[in-house]
């Protein structure tokens, strides 16, 4: 019940395209859903996060869409750039206690110039 | 603001040897995490500290892994003896809030190769 399933495993898009990465969770107690971006040789860095009281959140070119009833959330990258090439991880946790952050398996994104 | 510091950056050992990793979290961060990231997978939590105390070590292979956080600041993670399947990147992270698991700040990790 702690799993977070992420797809696709890899994604190649042209510059300017809109890659979409999807995640699904099982534990309905999760109430915080961050996305992390990881470049080779670096640790993951928080990109954007959402709570289930909203259905969408935008920060710059990055948008999270959240569907509470389906227990799914997704990351959209508008006007993707070669510099966005990285591995993206969705995650989920339950705030208010010492609950661990559960990560998805990651999506390796390549944006071709 | 200084980030999470980890050392060494790389380590190559033979199976059955021991190895230790060090982490210095961001100043003032009460919570410290050690994650294991196997190639092609997401980070898996090994152990979580709240100040000096352990709050979650359910996925730590305690027969070979150990960790401590002295004085609620620096932490070390040790593997003894190492197995081939321990080859991974070991990530240390810290967070500011005591109760919530909001923003995690990660170090660059230690890449361990067990031959």
């Amino acid at each position: 019940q702690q799993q977070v399933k992420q797809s696709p495993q890899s994604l190649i898009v042209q510059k300017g395209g809109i890659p979409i990465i999807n995640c699904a969770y099982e534990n309905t107690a999760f109430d915080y859903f961050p996305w992390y971006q990881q470049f080779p040789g670096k640790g993951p860095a928080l990109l954007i996060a959402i709570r289930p009281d909203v259905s969408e959140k935008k920060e710059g070119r990055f948008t999270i869409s959240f569907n509470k009833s389906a227990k799914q959330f997704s990351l959209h990258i508008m006007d993707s750039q070669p510099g966005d090439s990285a591995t993206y991880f969705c995650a989920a946790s339950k705030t208010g206690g010492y609950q661990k952050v559960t990560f998805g398996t990651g999506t390796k994104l390549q944006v071709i110039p | 603001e200084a980030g999470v510091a980890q050392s060494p950056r790389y380590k190559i050992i033979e199976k059955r040897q021991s190895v230790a990793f060090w982490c210095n979290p961001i100043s003032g961060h009460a919570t410290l995490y050690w994650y294991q990231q196997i190639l092609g997978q997401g980070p898996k939590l090994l152990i979580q500290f709240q100040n000096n105390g352990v709050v979650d070590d359910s996925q730590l292979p305690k027969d070979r892994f150990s960790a401590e956080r002295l004085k609620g600041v620096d932490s070390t993670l040790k593997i003894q003896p190492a197995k081939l399947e321990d080859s991974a990147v070991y990530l240390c992270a810290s967070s500011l809030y005591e109760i919530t698991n909001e923003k995690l700040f990660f170090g660059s990790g230690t890449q361990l190769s067990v031959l």
Side-chain angles (χ1 to χ4, degrees), chain A residues 32 36 38 41-44 46 51 89 93-101 103-106, chain B residues 9 35 37 40-43 45 48 50 55-56 59 91 98-99 101-104 106-108:
Chain A
Y32 179 68
Y36 283 80
Q38 185 176 31
K42 300 292 186 182
L46 180 66
R51 295 192 183 277
F89 294 95
S93 68
K94 177 182 179 300
T95 57
Y98 301 124
Q99 299 292 328
K100 66 185 178 186
V101 178
F103 284 84
T105 51
Chain B
R9 191 71 181 87
Y35 281 87
Q37 186 175 22
Q41 298 183 19
L45 181 68
Q48 179 177 341
Q50 184 64 31
V55 297
D56 188 339
Q59 297 193 86
L91 294 164
E98 292 193 0
I99 301 299
N101 291 89
E102 299 219 352
K103 186 173 183 177
L104 268 63
F106 283 88
S108 294

Side-chain angles (χ1 to χ4, degrees), chain B residues 52-67:
Chain B
N52 286 348
V54 175
V55 297
D56 188 339
D57 63 357
S58 57
Q59 297 193 86
L60 186 74
K62 298 180 187 64
D63 57 335
R64 299 184 300 106
F65 286 64
S66 64

Side-chain angles (χ1 to χ4, degrees), chain A residues 70-112:
Chain A
K71 292 186 288 185
Q72 294 176 348
F73 57 110
S74 59
L75 177 70
H76 302 232
I77 306 176
M78 306 301 176
D79 187 28
S80 59
Q81 301 296 313
D84 296 330
S85 297
T87 300
Y88 293 82
F89 294 95
C90 62
S93 68
K94 177 182 179 300
T95 57
Y98 301 124
Q99 299 292 328
K100 66 185 178 186
V101 178
T102 300
F103 284 84
T105 51
T107 297
K108 187 172 183 179
L109 171 67
Q110 185 178 356
V111 181
I112 301 171

